[in-house]
């Protein structure tokens, strides 16, 4: 959870996926910062809920959270997909045909986006290009 206070703005609850990398773009958006900058996150106050996401890496597995699902990816292939409602990650939806399974188009979109995030991060780190 994150709480952002802006004087004069009506308090509201937003059900969005957020991560620490979203703080910089969100604050820059609040400041209406006009110059280019580089940040891996998104402006949470100006991004629709269905476009918010989070990514992490643990024990050789990337986890990408979007569209109410967690996609687990080993760097080469998708290993599992879970519903966010399945907090214990017991029901892998990857090859499931249940009602809660993820549509193939959405799964393919998530894999493409995650690969792009990994590529962007790795390239910028190895080439020392963390600036605009």
């Amino acid at each position: 959870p994150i709480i952002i206070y802006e004087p004069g703005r009506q308090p509201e609850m937003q059900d969005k996926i957020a991560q620490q990398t979203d703080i910089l773009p969100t604050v820059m958006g609040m400041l209406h910062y006009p110059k280019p900058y580089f940040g891996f996150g998104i402006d949470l106050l100006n991004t629709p809920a269905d476009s918010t996401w989070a990514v992490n890496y643990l024990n050789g597995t990337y986890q990408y959270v979007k569209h109410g699902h967690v996609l687990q990816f080993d760097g080469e292939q998708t290993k599992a997909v879970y519903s966010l409602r399945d907090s214990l990650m017991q029901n892998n939806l990857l090859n499931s045909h249940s009602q809660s399974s993820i549509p193939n188009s959405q799964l393919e979109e998530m894999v493409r986006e995650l690969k792009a995030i990994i590529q962007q991060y790795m390239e910028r780190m190895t080439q020392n290009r963390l600036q605009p």
Side-chain angles (χ1 to χ4, degrees), residues 5-73:
Y5 173 73
E6 182 179 6
R9 187 176 179 130
Q10 185 67 24
E12 63 179 297
M13 258 318 237
Q14 295 187 14
D15 188 15
K16 295 181 176 182
I17 297 167
Q19 58 189 339
Q20 283 183 312
T21 58
D22 297 330
I23 294 171
L24 175 67
T26 302
V27 170
M28 297 299 250
M30 291 171 68
L31 295 172
H32 305 288
Y33 187 75
K35 297 179 182 175
Y37 68 91
F38 179 76
F40 275 105
I42 56 174
D43 180 347
L44 291 168
L45 299 177
N46 294 302
T47 303
D50 64 345
S51 295
T52 60
W53 54 273
V55 67
N56 64 52
Y57 182 79
L58 179 65
N59 296 328
T61 302
Y62 295 93
Q63 293 191 122
Y64 185 53
V65 182
K66 191 172 183 180
H67 302 304
H69 291 88
V70 178
L71 178 135
Q72 293 184 337
F73 184 76

Side-chain angles (χ1 to χ4, degrees), residues 74-125:
D74 70 1
E76 294 185 23
Q77 64 181 353
T78 302
K79 292 296 188 179
V81 178
Y82 299 97
S83 169
L84 280 178
R85 290 186 216 116
D86 182 6
S87 60
L88 298 177
M89 295 182 168
Q90 294 179 326
N91 185 23
N92 184 354
L93 302 174
L94 189 56
N95 296 313
S96 172
H97 297 291
S98 71
Q99 277 189 308
S100 60
S101 65
I102 184 169
N104 278 341
S105 60
Q106 208 171 55
L107 177 61
E108 290 168 6
E109 172 193 322
M110 288 178 71
V111 170
R112 271 193 318 275
E113 290 174 350
L114 178 56
K115 285 180 178 180
I117 292 165
I118 294 167
Q119 179 181 2
Q120 198 54 232
Y121 177 79
M122 294 300 188
E123 187 174 302
R124 287 183 177 275
M125 290 296 286

